[in-house]
Amino acid sequence: MVTVLYKSTRNSSIRVESAAAIAQGISDEGGLFVPESIPALTMEELKSLADKTYAQRAAYVFSKYLTDFTEAELRYCTESAYTETAFDTENIAEIAHLFDGTYMLELWHGPTCAFKDMALQILPYFLTTAVKKLHMDKKVVILVATSGDTGKAALEGFKDVPGTQIMVFYPVEGVSDMQKRQMVTQEGDNVTVCAVKGNFDDCQSGVKQIFTDHAVQQKLESGGMTFSSANSINWGRLVPQIVYYVSTYVSLAESGEIAYGDLLNVVVPTGNFGNILAAYYAKCMGVPIGKLICASNINKVLTDFIRTGVYDRNRDFYATSSPSMDILISSNLERLLYLLTGEDDAQIRNWFTSLAETGRYEVTDHVKQKMAELFYGGYCDDAATKATICEIYEKYGYTCDTHTAVAVHVYEAYRQETGDTTKTLIASTASPYKFSASVLEALGQAPADGTDEYDMVEQLHKVSGMEVPASLAALRTKPRRFTESINKTEMQQFVLQKLHLN
């Protein structure tokens, strides 16, 4: 077995094993950890996964990347995370046939009804295993910025995990009512949730600044603590997302929908670029993935970047009906650009310094060309999102959430523009019940003003016929535990105060 070490996107001389990369979360100088080489999966290896469970397929993929973890450790992590207790289906991820040659990959059958569960159910096992392997005797403090789904999934994954404490920051007006209720009612003695007066980018920038502040790090050190992250800046969050693209390709081939070796396009609604980056890693490993179709809402910084090579966050920010994509700084893009520049850390430092200082950078013609070959970027505004939800429901009897509708709309635009009829997988990232008001409005069943969130859930159940997830139904009677709201400039002080280090 080849040992895979991890480098930083901003300092290629760094080499750490995966346990250290996962425990640390982000490199000291602010770079993101990436494998020094991307392991290969042969067609024979893909075929060998056919009769395996999802947990077994995951363990096999992880063995390629997390080479310092033993087989027993990987089996413990996967078998603990991917269970029917946590997920409402033994398949973990379900595949729905939308129309001929187009498939919905339902990634929302976990405990918080969003695709983040696919990674955040296993990250606590990765992290605690890594801490033991590194002989760390410190409490691990998990800081999370969320645009809605990551926060609840991380809270659920880390609640009452020994040796950890988790703090989640969300934009006060930037999440759905159901997402907010999920977070502020969270159980667990080691959890803290706080609203920030700003948008997701303010939360994410604040967390990154705290991570890399040496004075804060020294205070943590003196208190016997260390930081880590549950955002997709942490490689332990990203690598589980590679698994479902590998697993789904195998499942489609085994069901006869495709033949082994056939190309499969992938469409992902994305804000922080992690989910679609995982598909790119799967493609680089050898999974026959064709075009990577990046779907944005009206906050279309990624669409513009893919089409022009200019990344510019100096633009109006919109709160939309697909709030998990309301992002103007896409952190995982740094990993992609590091690969496309031939691992040029100096170039990455230059671009991301420019982004921090001016809000803008422009990539080289060579990178632009590579981006155009690999990716297609498109966007969808709220009106088109709702029209797409209605169209899918009327044509196919299928109810999807607002983020998935963005992906469908962009895919239809891609097919019209290119004529590409390659079979296609659409990542469905959340249960429609997390966005009941918007989905009901799209279906012509707009609830009256002041309607309770759970009355909306019941109304959507009657319209869609979909079973209401038990985890969402249970929230109705849970008390709100967290009501604090702070300015973005107060995040560092809030963290130190909660850790009793101020």
PDB file of all heavy atoms in Angstrom, residues 13 40 90 108 132 139 167 207 250 276 367 457:
ATOM      1  N   SER A  13       5.627  22.441   0.779  1.00  0.00           N
ATOM      2  CA  SER A  13       6.694  21.723   1.479  1.00  0.00           C
ATOM      3  C   SER A  13       6.167  20.954   2.692  1.00  0.00           C
ATOM      4  O   SER A  13       6.845  20.071   3.212  1.00  0.00           O
ATOM      5  CB  SER A  13       7.788  22.693   1.928  1.00  0.00           C
ATOM      6  OG  SER A  13       7.293  23.585   2.924  1.00  0.00           O
ATOM      7  N   ALA A  40      -5.646   5.814  -7.553  1.00  0.00           N
ATOM      8  CA  ALA A  40      -6.432   5.331  -8.685  1.00  0.00           C
ATOM      9  C   ALA A  40      -7.394   4.231  -8.259  1.00  0.00           C
ATOM     10  O   ALA A  40      -7.141   3.478  -7.315  1.00  0.00           O
ATOM     11  CB  ALA A  40      -5.501   4.803  -9.771  1.00  0.00           C
ATOM     12  N   GLU A  90     -31.370   1.462   4.216  1.00  0.00           N
ATOM     13  CA  GLU A  90     -30.168   0.646   4.323  1.00  0.00           C
ATOM     14  C   GLU A  90     -29.161   0.974   3.211  1.00  0.00           C
ATOM     15  O   GLU A  90     -27.979   0.668   3.332  1.00  0.00           O
ATOM     16  CB  GLU A  90     -30.518  -0.840   4.287  1.00  0.00           C
ATOM     17  CG  GLU A  90     -31.120  -1.326   2.992  1.00  0.00           C
ATOM     18  CD  GLU A  90     -31.369  -2.833   3.009  1.00  0.00           C
ATOM     19  OE1 GLU A  90     -30.658  -3.532   3.748  1.00  0.00           O
ATOM     20  OE2 GLU A  90     -32.275  -3.296   2.283  1.00  0.00           O
ATOM     21  N   TRP A 108     -30.107  12.848   1.306  1.00  0.00           N
ATOM     22  CA  TRP A 108     -30.715  13.475   2.489  1.00  0.00           C
ATOM     23  C   TRP A 108     -31.490  12.491   3.367  1.00  0.00           C
ATOM     24  O   TRP A 108     -32.438  12.872   4.057  1.00  0.00           O
ATOM     25  CB  TRP A 108     -31.649  14.610   2.061  1.00  0.00           C
ATOM     26  CG  TRP A 108     -32.474  14.348   0.829  1.00  0.00           C
ATOM     27  CD1 TRP A 108     -32.190  14.742  -0.453  1.00  0.00           C
ATOM     28  CD2 TRP A 108     -33.732  13.643   0.751  1.00  0.00           C
ATOM     29  NE1 TRP A 108     -33.184  14.333  -1.319  1.00  0.00           N
ATOM     30  CE2 TRP A 108     -34.136  13.661  -0.609  1.00  0.00           C
ATOM     31  CE3 TRP A 108     -34.537  13.009   1.691  1.00  0.00           C
ATOM     32  CZ2 TRP A 108     -35.317  13.069  -1.054  1.00  0.00           C
ATOM     33  CZ3 TRP A 108     -35.714  12.405   1.265  1.00  0.00           C
ATOM     34  CH2 TRP A 108     -36.087  12.445  -0.097  1.00  0.00           C
ATOM     35  N   LYS A 132      -6.520   9.937  18.934  1.00  0.00           N
ATOM     36  CA  LYS A 132      -5.875   8.816  19.633  1.00  0.00           C
ATOM     37  C   LYS A 132      -4.573   8.412  18.955  1.00  0.00           C
ATOM     38  O   LYS A 132      -3.562   8.152  19.611  1.00  0.00           O
ATOM     39  CB  LYS A 132      -6.831   7.622  19.692  1.00  0.00           C
ATOM     40  CG  LYS A 132      -8.010   7.803  20.629  1.00  0.00           C
ATOM     41  CD  LYS A 132      -8.936   6.587  20.578  1.00  0.00           C
ATOM     42  CE  LYS A 132     -10.177   6.801  21.430  1.00  0.00           C
ATOM     43  NZ  LYS A 132     -11.135   5.677  21.303  1.00  0.00           N
ATOM     44  N   LYS A 139      -8.502  18.756  24.583  1.00  0.00           N
ATOM     45  CA  LYS A 139      -9.881  18.836  24.118  1.00  0.00           C
ATOM     46  C   LYS A 139      -9.875  19.440  22.717  1.00  0.00           C
ATOM     47  O   LYS A 139      -9.194  20.433  22.459  1.00  0.00           O
ATOM     48  CB  LYS A 139     -10.733  19.702  25.054  1.00  0.00           C
ATOM     49  CG  LYS A 139     -12.163  19.916  24.538  1.00  0.00           C
ATOM     50  CD  LYS A 139     -12.957  20.879  25.402  1.00  0.00           C
ATOM     51  CE  LYS A 139     -13.471  20.186  26.645  1.00  0.00           C
ATOM     52  NZ  LYS A 139     -14.443  21.041  27.375  1.00  0.00           N
ATOM     53  N   MET A 167     -18.874  24.567  18.402  1.00  0.00           N
ATOM     54  CA  MET A 167     -19.559  25.859  18.328  1.00  0.00           C
ATOM     55  C   MET A 167     -19.937  26.128  16.881  1.00  0.00           C
ATOM     56  O   MET A 167     -19.088  26.044  15.989  1.00  0.00           O
ATOM     57  CB  MET A 167     -18.657  26.987  18.825  1.00  0.00           C
ATOM     58  CG  MET A 167     -18.239  26.862  20.250  1.00  0.00           C
ATOM     59  SD  MET A 167     -17.349  28.355  20.785  1.00  0.00           S
ATOM     60  CE  MET A 167     -16.621  27.734  22.294  1.00  0.00           C
ATOM     61  N   VAL A 207     -14.570  32.540  11.323  1.00  0.00           N
ATOM     62  CA  VAL A 207     -14.025  31.265  11.814  1.00  0.00           C
ATOM     63  C   VAL A 207     -12.591  31.083  11.339  1.00  0.00           C
ATOM     64  O   VAL A 207     -11.709  30.685  12.110  1.00  0.00           O
ATOM     65  CB  VAL A 207     -14.921  30.086  11.357  1.00  0.00           C
ATOM     66  CG1 VAL A 207     -14.185  28.761  11.511  1.00  0.00           C
ATOM     67  CG2 VAL A 207     -16.212  30.068  12.157  1.00  0.00           C
ATOM     68  N   VAL A 250     -21.196   2.529  -9.302  1.00  0.00           N
ATOM     69  CA  VAL A 250     -21.252   1.070  -9.226  1.00  0.00           C
ATOM     70  C   VAL A 250     -22.713   0.596  -9.201  1.00  0.00           C
ATOM     71  O   VAL A 250     -23.091  -0.351  -9.904  1.00  0.00           O
ATOM     72  CB  VAL A 250     -20.498   0.559  -7.983  1.00  0.00           C
ATOM     73  CG1 VAL A 250     -20.709  -0.938  -7.782  1.00  0.00           C
ATOM     74  CG2 VAL A 250     -19.012   0.876  -8.099  1.00  0.00           C
ATOM     75  N   ILE A 276     -19.158  19.330  -5.385  1.00  0.00           N
ATOM     76  CA  ILE A 276     -18.752  19.118  -6.777  1.00  0.00           C
ATOM     77  C   ILE A 276     -17.253  18.812  -6.868  1.00  0.00           C
ATOM     78  O   ILE A 276     -16.811  18.068  -7.741  1.00  0.00           O
ATOM     79  CB  ILE A 276     -19.145  20.319  -7.667  1.00  0.00           C
ATOM     80  CG1 ILE A 276     -19.090  19.913  -9.150  1.00  0.00           C
ATOM     81  CG2 ILE A 276     -18.281  21.540  -7.378  1.00  0.00           C
ATOM     82  CD1 ILE A 276     -19.771  20.904 -10.072  1.00  0.00           C
ATOM     83  N   VAL A 367      -5.415  27.919 -16.884  1.00  0.00           N
ATOM     84  CA  VAL A 367      -6.396  27.434 -15.909  1.00  0.00           C
ATOM     85  C   VAL A 367      -7.816  27.643 -16.428  1.00  0.00           C
ATOM     86  O   VAL A 367      -8.689  26.780 -16.266  1.00  0.00           O
ATOM     87  CB  VAL A 367      -6.184  28.103 -14.541  1.00  0.00           C
ATOM     88  CG1 VAL A 367      -7.327  27.772 -13.583  1.00  0.00           C
ATOM     89  CG2 VAL A 367      -4.856  27.668 -13.933  1.00  0.00           C
ATOM     90  N   VAL A 457     -45.354  21.705   7.232  1.00  0.00           N
ATOM     91  CA  VAL A 457     -44.854  20.351   7.007  1.00  0.00           C
ATOM     92  C   VAL A 457     -46.018  19.403   6.752  1.00  0.00           C
ATOM     93  O   VAL A 457     -45.988  18.585   5.820  1.00  0.00           O
ATOM     94  CB  VAL A 457     -44.015  19.874   8.217  1.00  0.00           C
ATOM     95  CG1 VAL A 457     -43.766  18.379   8.153  1.00  0.00           C
ATOM     96  CG2 VAL A 457     -42.688  20.631   8.270  1.00  0.00           C
TER      97      VAL A 457
END
